[in-house]
């Protein structure tokens, strides 16, 4: 298949490009380098021994984006492009709605115009309403608390509406849990410059000596050790889930939604301990106040993805920690 990968030079996109090519597909990448670097393309080309078609395009410019559809026969789209910083979305909601929703509408208009009927969309576990009942299944109540999450939910709803209006349209919505780790080669990973917000990017900076200690946001949640529990998934497993999701285009339902997680929850202190075990590096931490907006615990019910698209995560928490560190220490 010729697959258009929007945001294909980003963290999850770059790993998915590798899986697409390794599974015999052709990847066409669109990215505006807002949160990625052109070096990723050079590394992909070298690693895969290919010359991947790349367009440096801001998808907010529909005319430029249309050239991609004119110049390529596209069979399906994997849509990663978007902004993802929750805190920033609270401060600059319009920036998030304009980009995340605006570029998706541009993409969907062009898909309609050029008869492209298949899309895999990057949604997030953040669309679920806080629930006392765990694990989270795909049919549990939805509810969002910030503009980033709302942009994901709105896009899910737009896809539902299009699917309702066009019986040939097929969308696979993947609700990612917490992707961490990096490519086994050590060549691809998450580039965090400045002070990161998320847990693993923060831990690797502490390991590197760039930050003094980890702030653990609260130890008074109703969880096994009081710290927040999440379902972390290796980014390579997550990338592979997109290849598995391709088979859902052949299902009779035209919208298929899957949780992509491991089904196991780890606390912040579990992650610290596993990171220390995987790398031999001590991670000093201090318990501080809860982070506003955080939920105590959530993890995926991953049975639907297993049953319908045969997806099961293979990598464990030690590999996630080891690979995250391997990438960070080598990237200078
Ligand atoms: P990322 O920021 O590394 O990748 C997104 C890519 O999209 C970047 O390379 C960026 O330059 C590009 N982009 C953004 N706006 C664009 C535009 N207007 N035109 C062209 N390119 C544009 O993010 P990621 O972690 O790889 O996430 C990929 C997708 O998965 C995002 O939609 C994100 O919301 C979603 N997601 C991520 C996580 C996570 O924890 N990383 C969790 C759940 C969902
Ligand atoms: C965050 C996003 C969410 C996104 C998800 C995927 C927020 C509020 N939510 O979720 O929308 O889908 O990433 O990656 O940003 N923690 C610390 N110290 C730190 C950082 C985090 O203790 O320095 C704790 C948090 O309180 C939480 C856990 O670690 O319990 C994971 O946090 P994080 O990596 O930021 O992810 P989420 O908050 O789950």
């Amino acid at each position: 298949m010729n697959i258009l990968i929007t945001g294909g030079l980003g963290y999850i996109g770059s790993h998915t490009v590798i899986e697409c090519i390794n599974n015999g597909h052709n990847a066409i990448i669109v990215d505006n380098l807002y949160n990625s670097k052109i070096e990723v393309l050079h590394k992909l080309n070298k690693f895969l021994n290919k010359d991947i078609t790349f367009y440096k395009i801001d998808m907010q410019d529909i005319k430029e984006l249309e050239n991609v559809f004119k110049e390529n026969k596209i069979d399906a789209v994997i849509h990663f492009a978007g902004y993802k910083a929750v805190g920033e979305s609270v401060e600059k909601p319009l920036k998030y709605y304009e980009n995340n929703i605006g570029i998706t509408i541009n993409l969907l208009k062009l898909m309609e115009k050029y008869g492209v009927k298949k899309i895999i969309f990057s949604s997030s576990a953040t669309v679920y309403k806080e629930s006392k009942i765990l694990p989270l299944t795909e049919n549990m109540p939805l509810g969002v608390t910030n503009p980033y999450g709302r942009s994901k939910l709105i896009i899910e709803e737009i896809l539902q509406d299009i699917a309702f209006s066009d019986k040939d349209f097929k969308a696979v919505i993947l609700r990612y849990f917490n992707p961490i780790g990096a490519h086994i080669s050590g060549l691809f990973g998450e580039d965090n410059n400045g002070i990161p917000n998320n847990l693993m990017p923060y831990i690797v900076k502490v390991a590197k000596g760039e930050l003094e200690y980890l702030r653990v946001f609260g130890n008074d949640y109703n969880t096994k050790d009081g710290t927040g529990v999440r379902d972390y998934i290796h980014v390579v497993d997550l990338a592979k889930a997109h290849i598995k999701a391709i088979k859902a285009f052949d299902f009779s339902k035209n919208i298929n939604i899957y949780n992509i997680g491991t089904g196991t929850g780890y606390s912040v202190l579990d992650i610290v301990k596993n990171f220390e075990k995987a790398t031999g590096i001590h991670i000093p931490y201090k318990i501080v106040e809860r982070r506003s907006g955080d939920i105590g615990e959530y993890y995926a019910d991953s049975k639907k993805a297993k049953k319908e698209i045969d997806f099961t995560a293979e990598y464990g928490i030690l590999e996630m920690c080891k690979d995250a560190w391997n990438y960070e220490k080598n990237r200078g």
Side-chain angles (χ1 to χ4, degrees):
M1 264 202 211
N2 274 338
I3 305 180
L4 170 61
I5 305 188
T6 76
L9 297 186
Y11 174 46
I12 306 169
S14 55
H15 289 82
T16 306
V17 169
I18 296 173
E19 296 306 322
C20 278
I21 307 277
N22 285 344
N23 282 278
H25 299 291
N26 182 34
I28 299 142
I29 300 177
V30 168
D31 204 303
N32 65 350
L33 306 182
Y34 171 84
N35 196 32
S36 51
K37 299 198 181 80
I38 195 65
E39 287 71 45
V40 175
L41 178 70
H42 302 150
K43 284 193 284 182
L44 283 170
N45 280 337
K46 197 166 169 205
F47 182 71
L48 295 163
N49 195 19
K50 285 257 171 201
D51 190 7
I52 299 168
T53 308
F54 170 65
Y55 292 84
K56 181 179 178 299
I57 283 178
D58 186 333
M59 294 172 65
Q60 292 193 31
D61 185 336
I62 194 165
K63 284 216 178 76
E64 290 239 27
L65 189 58
E66 182 156 13
N67 290 332
V68 181
F69 284 79
K70 278 188 188 147
E71 290 167 15
N72 299 276
K73 156 98 192 61
I74 295 163
D75 300 307
V77 178
I78 306 182
H79 180 35
F80 293 106
Y83 298 158
K84 63 169 182 176
V86 174
E88 188 191 41
S89 81
V90 175
E91 280 153 31
K92 299 178 182 163
L94 278 177
K95 174 175 172 177
Y96 274 68
Y97 291 129
E98 182 176 44
N99 195 56
N100 291 5
I101 299 176
I103 65 176
T104 305
I105 289 176
N106 284 348
L107 178 67
L108 290 166
K109 276 161 87 174
L110 292 169
M111 286 176 64
E112 183 180 58
K113 183 166 174 185
Y114 288 83
V116 181
K117 301 279 186 186
K118 298 174 176 142
I119 183 168
I120 298 175
F121 172 61
S122 303
S123 190
S124 166
T126 200
V127 299
Y128 290 111
K129 201 168 178 180
E130 184 167 3
S131 171
K132 288 207 173 73
I133 303 164
L134 292 171
L136 295 169
T137 57
E138 287 82 352
N139 53 11
M140 278 188 176
L142 305 180
V144 288
T145 53
N146 58 69
Y148 164 73
R150 193 160 294 110
S151 75
K152 292 289 171 195
L153 194 51
I154 291 170
I155 295 168
E156 286 201 9
E157 288 169 348
I158 292 172
L159 293 171
Q160 302 268 9
D161 289 341
I162 298 175
F164 187 75
S165 74
D166 176 358
K167 65 174 181 13
D168 295 325
F169 183 80
K170 299 275 183 171
V172 186
I173 293 171
L174 301 182
R175 293 185 181 146
Y176 309 157
F177 280 66
N178 287 47
I180 59 171
H183 198 258
I184 325 301
S185 64
L187 292 171
F188 307 94
E190 192 169 13
D191 285 331
N192 290 288
N193 299 316
I195 299 179
N197 296 311
N198 299 116
L199 181 62
M200 185 54 79
Y202 204 101
I203 289 181
V204 294
K205 295 281 185 202
V206 175
K208 224 173 173 182
E210 290 179 13
L211 294 167
E212 204 184 333
Y213 59 87
L214 171 71
R215 294 167 304 156
V216 175
F217 295 138
N219 66 349
D220 56 353
Y221 287 104
N222 185 20
T223 59
K224 56 193 253 193
D225 58 20
T227 67
V229 168
R230 296 290 184 273
D231 185 337
Y232 297 93
I233 177 164
H234 196 296
V235 66
V236 171
D237 275 327
L238 176 55
K240 288 180 176 168
H242 295 77
I243 309 303
K244 296 280 189 175
I246 289 173
K247 64 164 75 69
F249 291 141
D250 296 328
F251 297 170
S252 57
K253 272 170 57 181
N254 52 354
I255 289 268
N256 289 283
I257 303 179
Y258 300 103
N259 284 338
I260 304 295
T262 64
T264 306
Y266 287 98
S267 72
V268 177
L269 296 183
D270 284 336
I271 298 296
V272 169
K273 277 182 219 134
N274 279 287
F275 188 90
E276 291 181 333
K277 192 170 166 198
T279 64
I281 301 169
H282 175 58
I283 301 296
Y285 66 83
K286 287 186 189 165
I287 308 290
V288 301
E289 290 284 285
R290 288 181 177 195
R291 181 172 65 180
S292 117
D294 265 358
I295 288 173
E297 178 165 24
Y298 61 84
Y299 50 92
D301 184 319
S302 46
K303 287 204 259 324
K304 188 177 177 218
K306 164 84 184 125
K307 184 164 172 256
E308 295 188 10
I309 57 170
D310 188 30
F311 172 73
T312 321
E314 283 167 11
Y315 294 104
I317 198 68
L318 284 170
E319 285 150 318
M320 298 181 213
C321 294
K322 179 170 72 63
D323 293 334
W325 172 237
N326 186 35
Y327 179 72
E328 183 66 26
K329 79 169 188 270
N330 291 329
R331 88 183 180 98

